[in-house]
Amino acid sequence: MTLEDQLKQKAYYKMFINEHEDIHPIRVLGEAFQEEAAKDLPNLSSIRFAQGEVYFHHKDYETAIFKWENITDELEPWAKKNTADAYYELGLLSTAEDIYTAIATDNATLSTEVALQLFSLYIERGKLDAAVSTIKRTIVANPDYPNVTEIARAFFEEQQDWNNAVELAVSEAMRLEDTNWFSVLSGYVDKGFTKGHAPGYFTQALIHLFHRDKKQFEQLVSFLWKSYEHEESYFTWIREINQLLLQLDLEREDQWHELSRLHKHAYFGLIEGRYFIKMLQEFIPDLLTNWLRLADDRNVVLSSAAVLSWNELFPTTMSQTIVTDAEKLISITETDIDELEESLTLFDTIIDWAAAHDMGENNRYKWLVEQLVDFDRQHLLITGLTGSGKSTFVNTVLGEALQDSPTSSIVMFKDGEEEEITEITDWQISNLEGFNEFQERMDRRRNALDSIIEFKLPNGFLQGNKVTFIDTPGLKGNHNDRYEVLKNLQVADAVLFVLDGNSPFTDKERSALVQIQELAPDIPVHFLLSKMDTIVGEQEAVRIYQETKSKIHSILPDSIVFAFSSHYENGQQAEEIRDLIQSIKVTRNLEDKRLAKLLYFIRTTIASLLQKRIDVENQLVEAIRWNEEMHMKLNGAVNQLKDTEIQKTTAITKSYRAIKETIQKDIAETIPAMLKECSVLIKEDSNFSKIHLELNEEMNRRLQEYLEQTVMPKFYHSLQNWIGYSKEEFDQAQEFLTEMGDGFNQMYGEEHLALVCDFKVLDDWLRDTDRMTSRFLLDEVNILLRRTPSQFLLKSAGKLFGAISQNKAMLYNKYKAFVENEDYSETIEEVSKQFFQPFELFEKSLARDVTLFFKGPLRDLTAAAEEAKAGIESNQDLLNKMNTNPEMFRDPLTLFGVRLRQFEWMTVAGKGMETIY
C-alpha cells in the first residue's frame, strides 16, 4: 500500500505495528512515543499522527483531534483534513467545513479527498448548489481520480439534475472515448433528458463516436432524432445532423438501416404540406444527399427518386454528382414497392389536405379513384354526337328503358344487388329516390356536368360481362364544350364511339375523335354504327358499313366497327354484342394501365386544387366588388327611405293639420253667431238678477249640441278621408319599396330582402279616431260668469235694479246689446282647446307612427348594408392573407407534385429508362 493510500484510509499507523500485530496499537504507539521522546531531538509528529488515526478508528474523535492539532511536519495538511473528518463525525459540520476550506495543498490526492468530503458535507447540509459546484471542480481538476465521475453521475441522477448529468456523460465520453459513457448518454437521450440542449451540443461527441463505433453512433443519432422530432428545435437538429453527416465518410455498404429509415420518415414528414418551400430549401438538399449516401437496400430506389424529383423542381440546389448517382442507381436497381398502394396513399394525403384547408370534399375525384381500383369490372365509356342513338343502344343492351331523354350528366351503369342511384359532386354525395327522381335529375341542365350519377341495378348483362357502361351527354358545340363531357375520360378502359348510320363519320365526329385521342391516347376507341335498321336496303346498309369501316381503319386500324340495330331480341345480334364487349375489354396490363390513370387523376387533382385557389381569389375579388356595389346602393336606398319617411311625415302631418285648422275655423265662425242668437232669450220681464246664469247655461247647451252633433261628425268624416289619404301615401311608399326590394333581390339572386311596411299604423289610427270621435262632452264654459268689467256691471245692475220695474227696460236693452256685441274670442279659444285636447297626443305621435311604418324596411336595409360592409371586410381580409402568404396554398400542392414525380420515377426503377408519365 502506498503512503497516499495509507493516508487516505487513515492506515498510516500500521507502519509502526507490523511486527507487533498481537499487541494493541495504542500500546505500541505509546511505547514508540516514549522511546522517541527520550531522544535529544525527538520527532513526535508522525507518532502523534498515527495515534490520532487509531483514536479516530475507535471513535475517540476528541483525542484524535488533540493529537492532530499538534502536527507540524509534512503531515500537517493531512492532519488538518483528518481533524475536519473528526469534527464531521462529531456532527460539527460548520467547523468541519471551515477546516476543509482552509486547507491549502498542491497534493492532487489530498485536494480531491478534501473536495469529496466537502461534497458529502454539502449534501448533508442541504447546500446542493455548493455540492454541484464542488464536484464539478473536482472532475475538472482530477477527472481520473478513482470513482469521482461515478460519484458525480450518481449524485446528478439522484437529484434528477439531468443537464449536469448529460454534460458529464458528453465530456467523459469524448475524453475517454469510452463506449460505456456513450451508452449512458444514449440512455439519457432515450429518456428525453437532453431536449433542453441545443442539437449542436452533441456534434463533437458524435464525431468521436462515429470513429469509435458506427453502430453505437447510429443508435445515438436515432435517439437524438426521436427526442427532437416534436420539439421546436427539430429543424435545427435536421440542419445540424445533416451538416455533420456531410463531413463523415459514409459508406452505403455499412447498411445504415435506422438512419435510412429516419431520413425517409423526416423527408416525407417535411413535404406532406405543412411547411413552406422557402424554409425546406435550407436543409432538404442536404437531407436528400445524406439519405442517398447511406440508404440501405430497401430505400435506395426511394431516396434516388426523391433526389431526382427534388432536383427537377429545384435544379440548382442539388449537387450534380448526387443527381448523377441517383440516376445511375434508379436505372439499375429494381424495387418491389406496392405502386398502387403508394399512389393511393398520396391521393388520400392530397384529399385530406384539401378538406383541412376548406377546399371541398372533392367527392368526384374520390369516386373516380374508387372506380380505378375496382379490378373486377372494366369500364366502357359510350359517347357520340347528340342524336347518334347512344341512349337507345344502352337501353337495348341492358333490356331496360333507363334513358328516355337526352343524358345531361355522366351516368355509370353497374350491376348491383338492388337498385341504388347516387349523385356525386365535388361538394356532396346524395341518394336519388328511385327512377322517377333520376329522370327528373336528367331533365335538369344547370350544372349537370358537375356531377356524376352512379346507377346500380341488378342486370344480367353487366354482371355476366363484368363491365360497366359510362353513358355521356351527347357531344356538341366547340372544343371546350366537349371537354366538359370528356374530362372524366381517363376512368374508362375503352371507348365505344356511337355513329349515326344515316350519316356516319362526319367532320364533327372526326373532330370529337381527335379530341378523345388527345385527352387519352392510350385508351382504345371502337365504333358502333347505330340506326342500321333505318337504312333502306341491305346492300345500302352493307355499303355504308364498309365505307365507314374503311375510313376508320385508315386512322385507327385496330378499332372494331360494329353495326347495330335496336330491333333485336335474343338472337344472333345479342350474342354478337356480348362478343363485341368481350373483344374490346382490356386483357393485358390492366393494373399498369389503371395505375397510369390513377397518376393522371392525382396530377389532375393537384392542378384542380391550384385552379381552385385561383378561383377562390377571383371569387373574393368579385365578392368584394359586388359587396362594395351593394353597400353603396344599400346606403343610397337607406337615404332614399329616410327621405321618403320625411316626405310622408310632412305630407300626412300637414294634411291632418289642415283638417284641424278647417274645424277650428268653423268653430271660430259659428260660435259667436250662435251665442249672439241667445239674445232672443232676454225678455223685458226676465229676472235680471239671474239672467246671466240662465244665459250661460243655455249657451253651454247650444255649444255642446253644436260640437257633438255638427262639428264632431264633420271632424270624424274628415279624419276618415285623411286616413284614406294616408293609406294612399303609404301604398305609394310600399310600392316604391317593393320595387326597390325586387331590384335588390335580383342582384342577390334570391329573396333576400322583403321590405314590408307596418300597415298596422292605419289600423291604430282608425281605432284611435273612432274612439276619440265617438262622443264629446264639453266641460262648462264660463261665458257670462267671468269677472270682466262689463259683465260685472251688468250682473251688479241686475241684482240692484232688477226688482224695480221701471228699470227693467233699461236692463233688457243693456243685456241684449251686451250679448249681441260681446267678443267671444276667449270662449272660442276655450271651446277649441277642449275639443282638440283628446287629439293632442295623437297629433304629436304622427311622426313617430310614420317612423314605425317604415321601421321594418329601414332595419332590413341597414342590416343588409352592414352585411355588405362585413362581407367587404372579411373577404378583403381573406384576400390579403392569400396575397400576403400565397405559399400557404401553393407550396403544399407543389410538394405534392414533387411526391407524384418521385413516385413516377420509382415506377421505372431498374428499367434503365427515364419515367414516361
Side-chain angles (χ1 to χ4, degrees):
M1 182 182 297
T2 65
L3 175 61
E4 282 194 344
D5 289 337
Q6 288 177 337
L7 294 173
K8 285 164 53 178
Q9 300 173 22
K10 294 183 177 62
Y12 180 74
Y13 70 93
K14 292 183 178 180
M15 295 174 57
F16 297 92
I17 62 173
N18 285 341
E19 67 273 19
H20 305 290
E21 292 182 357
D22 56 339
I23 303 174
H24 196 282
I26 294 296
R27 181 177 177 180
V28 173
L29 291 172
E31 292 176 351
F33 186 87
Q34 294 296 330
E35 183 179 344
E36 183 66 25
K39 294 180 179 180
D40 292 336
L41 296 172
N43 182 9
L44 300 175
S45 291
S46 59
I47 298 174
R48 286 194 180 104
F49 186 87
Q51 286 175 323
E53 289 180 333
V54 174
Y55 289 126
F56 183 91
H57 287 306
H58 286 82
K59 301 187 184 299
D60 187 355
Y61 301 119
E62 291 183 351
T63 305
I65 291 169
F66 174 76
K67 288 292 184 180
W68 285 328
E69 285 178 342
N70 292 287
I71 306 301
T72 59
D73 60 6
E74 67 275 4
L75 293 174
E76 181 181 0
W78 283 98
K80 288 182 178 180
K81 184 263 182 187
N82 290 346
T83 300
D85 291 346
Y87 279 114
Y88 193 155
E89 295 297 330
L90 288 169
L92 301 174
L93 302 183
S94 179
T95 303
E97 181 181 348
D98 291 341
I99 297 172
Y100 283 136
T101 55
I103 297 172
T105 179
D106 294 331
N107 187 297
T109 301
L110 177 58
S111 295
T112 304
E113 285 294 312
V114 170
L116 290 175
Q117 285 296 94
L118 266 174
F119 170 69
S120 299
L121 183 147
Y122 286 142
I123 293 173
E124 191 166 338
R125 296 192 68 186
K127 299 169 71 172
L128 298 180
D129 289 343
V132 170
S133 178
T134 299
I135 196 65
K136 290 177 73 172
R137 284 199 308 270
T138 304
I139 294 172
V140 171
N142 197 358
D144 292 320
Y145 195 78
N147 298 324
V148 68
T149 53
E150 290 300 327
I151 292 171
R153 175 190 167 195
F155 169 69
F156 291 145
E157 290 180 353
E158 181 181 355
Q159 297 299 318
Q160 297 186 358
D161 184 355
W162 302 116
N163 284 338
N164 280 317
V166 170
E167 290 177 4
L168 174 65
V170 170
S171 62
E172 288 301 291
M174 288 194 296
R175 186 178 69 87
L176 301 173
E177 294 192 355
D178 185 349
T179 56
N180 291 328
W181 276 106
F182 278 113
S183 296
V184 171
L185 177 58
S186 294
Y188 290 156
V189 176
D190 189 35
K191 293 174 182 177
F193 299 152
T194 60
K195 293 180 180 179
H197 289 78
Y201 178 79
F202 302 99
T203 299
Q204 293 303 315
L206 288 171
I207 293 174
H208 281 270
L209 184 56
F210 176 81
H211 295 294
R212 176 78 175 178
D213 189 324
K214 289 183 173 56
K215 289 304 174 185
Q216 195 173 12
F217 165 82
E218 183 177 32
Q219 182 188 50
L220 180 54
V221 170
S222 174
F223 287 154
L224 285 167
W225 204 308
K226 293 173 184 176
S227 72
Y228 287 121
E229 187 172 8
H230 301 293
E231 302 297 319
E232 291 183 2
S233 53
Y234 180 56
F235 289 150
T236 304
W237 161 256
I238 294 292
R239 187 181 298 107
E240 293 282 349
I241 188 59
N242 278 287
Q243 288 177 355
L244 170 61
L245 293 175
L246 288 174
Q247 302 172 26
L248 303 178
D249 295 328
L250 298 175
E251 298 291 341
R252 195 177 297 111
E253 292 73 17
D254 290 332
Q255 292 295 303
W256 302 94
H257 298 298
E258 182 61 13
L259 277 179
S260 181
R261 187 193 67 80
L262 287 169
H263 276 74
K264 172 186 175 181
H265 177 74
Y267 174 67
F268 281 103
L270 292 170
I271 67 169
E272 66 181 6
R274 292 182 296 166
Y275 307 111
F276 294 153
I277 290 176
K278 184 177 181 181
M279 179 174 62
L280 297 180
Q281 283 180 298
E282 296 178 12
F283 43 79
I284 286 290
D286 288 347
L287 178 73
L288 292 178
T289 298
N290 287 320
W291 188 16
L292 185 68
R293 292 172 64 215
L294 53 76
D296 58 10
D297 295 340
R298 291 173 296 179
N299 287 294
V300 167
V301 170
L302 186 57
S303 60
S304 299
V307 167
L308 294 173
S309 61
W310 187 268
N311 182 64
E312 288 181 353
L313 184 64
F314 308 106
T316 61
T317 59
M318 299 296 301
S319 163
Q320 187 57 46
T321 302
I322 290 296
V323 173
T324 303
D325 288 347
E327 290 174 343
K328 179 180 178 181
L329 286 168
I330 207 166
S331 66
I332 63 174
T333 309
E334 295 184 358
T335 181
D336 59 353
I337 64 167
D338 188 333
E339 297 173 338
L340 184 63
E341 182 180 354
E342 291 287 338
S343 58
L344 287 174
T345 299
L346 174 56
F347 177 77
D348 290 341
T349 301
I350 297 171
I351 294 299
D352 291 344
W353 176 88
H357 288 77
D358 299 323
M359 297 307 299
E361 295 296 325
N362 295 282
N363 293 305
R364 186 171 62 88
Y365 281 117
K366 288 194 283 189
W367 181 86
L368 290 168
V369 169
E370 288 174 3
Q371 310 315 306
L372 291 177
V373 298
D374 179 8
F375 294 103
D376 293 334
R377 301 180 180 91
Q378 289 203 23
H379 311 309
L380 178 62
L381 186 137
I382 304 172
T383 191
L385 300 186
T386 301
S388 62
K390 160 179 66 64
S391 296
T392 301
F393 170 74
V394 172
N395 290 340
T396 304
V397 173
L398 298 184
E400 300 185 50
L402 299 176
Q403 295 279 56
D404 61 359
S405 61
T407 304
S408 60
S409 296
I410 300 292
V411 183
M412 173 181 276
F413 296 101
K414 62 166 57 175
D415 65 282
E417 294 183 359
E418 58 185 23
E419 184 179 287
E420 182 180 355
I421 309 171
T422 306
E423 181 177 11
I424 301 102
T425 65
D426 274 342
W427 51 90
Q428 69 177 1
I429 298 176
S430 55
N431 292 323
L432 302 182
E433 298 296 331
F435 185 73
N436 290 335
E437 189 173 350
F438 167 71
Q439 289 295 349
E440 291 176 4
R441 176 63 189 80
M442 287 295 98
D443 292 337
R444 297 204 305 268
R445 292 293 184 265
R446 185 178 181 184
N447 299 324
L449 291 173
D450 291 338
S451 65
I452 297 174
I453 308 295
E454 182 181 72
F455 197 135
K456 292 182 180 179
L457 71 162
N459 186 273
F461 183 89
L462 296 176
Q463 184 180 28
N465 289 280
K466 295 186 179 302
V467 68
T468 68
F469 283 174
I470 305 173
D471 191 11
T472 72
L475 301 176
K476 58 184 178 180
N478 57 29
H479 186 278
N480 291 333
D481 293 334
R482 292 195 299 267
Y483 173 77
E484 287 301 310
V485 175
L486 298 171
K487 62 186 177 183
N488 301 311
L489 178 62
Q490 289 288 348
V491 76
D493 297 304
V495 174
L496 185 62
F497 197 114
V498 180
L499 307 173
D500 186 345
N502 292 292
S503 180
F505 219 42
T506 63
D507 290 341
K508 289 184 178 179
E509 289 168 332
R510 288 174 182 268
S511 177
L513 177 61
V514 169
Q515 190 169 358
I516 290 173
Q517 291 180 301
E518 289 174 350
L519 290 172
D522 296 327
I523 297 179
V525 182
H526 305 286
F527 297 85
L528 183 135
L529 204 57
S530 71
K531 301 182 183 180
M532 295 301 289
D533 52 306
T534 64
I535 298 174
V536 179
E538 183 177 348
Q539 288 185 344
E540 179 65 13
V542 170
R543 183 189 66 78
I544 291 174
Y545 172 76
Q546 292 295 341
E547 286 184 1
T548 304
K549 182 178 180 180
S550 176
K551 291 177 182 178
I552 291 172
H553 282 173
S554 66
I555 302 172
L556 298 171
D558 296 329
S559 294
I560 296 173
V561 182
F562 182 82
F564 171 73
S565 170
S566 61
H567 299 295
Y568 85 96
E569 295 178 358
N570 295 322
Q572 181 178 355
Q573 188 165 219
E575 189 65 31
E576 289 175 352
I577 290 177
R578 291 190 183 90
D579 293 341
L580 168 68
I581 298 300
Q582 293 300 320
S583 64
I584 64 179
K585 288 173 68 174
V586 177
T587 57
R588 295 181 59 188
N589 302 323
L590 179 62
E591 290 194 12
D592 289 342
K593 294 180 183 296
R594 290 278 183 91
L595 177 62
K597 298 175 188 298
L598 179 55
L599 296 179
Y600 167 82
F601 277 120
I602 292 174
R603 191 171 294 282
T604 303
T605 302
I606 294 172
S608 172
L609 292 174
L610 283 169
Q611 183 61 44
K612 275 188 179 181
R613 193 269 180 193
I614 298 173
D615 293 342
V616 167
E617 184 175 354
N618 292 336
Q619 289 168 7
L620 287 173
V621 171
E622 175 59 24
I624 292 170
R625 184 205 62 77
W626 186 86
N627 277 308
E628 287 175 341
E629 181 181 352
M630 290 298 292
H631 186 252
M632 180 184 67
K633 291 185 176 181
L634 286 165
N635 278 333
V638 168
N639 292 329
Q640 281 184 293
L641 180 53
K642 289 179 178 179
D643 292 342
T644 301
E645 179 184 325
I646 293 172
Q647 177 189 351
K648 298 303 179 185
T649 300
T650 301
I652 290 171
T653 304
K654 183 178 180 181
S655 176
Y656 174 82
R657 287 174 179 164
I659 293 170
K660 178 181 177 182
E661 289 170 359
T662 300
I663 298 299
Q664 285 176 325
K665 183 178 180 182
D666 288 349
I667 291 173
E669 293 175 351
T670 304
I671 286 179
M674 183 176 60
L675 294 179
K676 290 177 181 180
E677 289 175 357
C678 290
S679 65
V680 299
L681 300 175
I682 304 171
K683 308 294 183 183
E684 288 187 6
D685 58 351
S686 297
N687 184 353
F688 289 100
S689 63
K690 295 182 179 180
I691 189 65
H692 62 284
L693 297 174
E694 294 172 357
L695 287 173
N696 193 75
E697 182 178 352
E698 178 61 20
M699 287 179 175
N700 273 280
R701 188 192 66 75
R702 290 188 182 190
L703 285 174
Q704 174 67 40
E705 181 179 335
Y706 165 68
L707 291 172
E708 186 172 17
Q709 295 182 12
T710 301
V711 177
M712 190 62 79
K714 182 179 179 180
F715 190 33
Y716 173 78
H717 180 71
S718 298
L719 288 176
Q720 297 304 304
N721 291 336
W722 171 78
I723 290 174
Y725 165 78
S726 298
K727 184 178 183 303
E728 291 178 1
E729 292 291 320
F730 283 165
D731 285 340
Q732 291 175 5
Q734 180 62 72
E735 184 178 352
F736 165 70
L737 289 173
T738 299
E739 291 178 0
M740 179 187 289
D742 290 343
F744 279 119
N745 288 333
Q746 286 182 2
M747 296 177 70
Y748 280 113
E750 61 180 14
E751 293 298 318
H752 191 73
L753 286 175
L755 303 179
V756 180
C757 297
D758 188 1
F759 280 89
K760 289 181 180 179
V761 170
L762 294 173
D763 296 336
D764 292 342
W765 286 354
L766 282 170
R767 184 185 65 252
D768 290 343
T769 54
D770 283 346
R771 175 176 55 79
M772 291 186 293
T773 59
S774 62
R775 187 182 179 191
F776 176 74
L777 184 62
L778 180 69
D779 292 338
E780 186 175 354
V781 181
N782 294 327
I783 304 171
L784 297 179
L785 302 180
R786 289 171 293 170
R787 294 185 178 274
T788 62
S790 58
Q791 288 196 19
F792 178 75
L793 289 173
L794 277 174
K795 288 183 279 186
S796 298
K799 291 178 181 180
L800 289 173
F801 305 113
I804 304 173
S805 57
Q806 58 267 33
N807 293 325
K808 284 190 175 183
M810 178 191 68
L811 290 173
Y812 165 76
N813 291 324
K814 289 291 183 181
Y815 256 105
K816 194 172 183 66
F818 170 75
V819 171
E820 290 176 351
N821 297 308
E822 174 67 358
D823 179 10
Y824 293 101
S825 59
E826 291 186 13
T827 301
I828 293 170
E829 183 179 350
E830 175 67 19
V831 170
S832 181
K833 179 180 180 181
Q834 283 197 43
F835 184 82
F836 287 107
Q837 186 176 12
F839 296 91
E840 286 183 2
L841 185 61
F842 177 79
E843 182 181 355
K844 290 179 180 179
S845 66
L846 287 179
R848 183 207 64 187
D849 291 344
V850 175
T851 298
L852 288 175
F853 176 79
F854 289 105
K855 182 179 180 180
L858 182 60
R859 179 195 62 229
D860 293 344
L861 285 172
T862 303
E866 290 298 320
E867 180 184 0
K869 182 180 179 182
I872 295 170
E873 293 173 352
S874 62
N875 289 325
Q876 188 64 59
D877 184 52
L878 287 173
L879 185 62
N880 290 340
K881 288 180 179 178
M882 291 181 70
N883 290 333
T884 302
N885 296 310
E887 63 272 14
M888 289 178 62
F889 193 92
R890 182 192 62 229
D891 284 7
L893 292 173
T894 303
L895 293 173
F896 289 142
V898 172
R899 290 181 60 179
L900 174 62
R901 185 59 181 151
Q902 174 181 300
F903 178 73
E904 291 171 348
W905 273 106
M906 293 173 65
T907 59
V908 296
K911 300 177 182 178
M913 65 181 76
E914 188 176 335
T915 175
I916 59 174
Y917 293 108

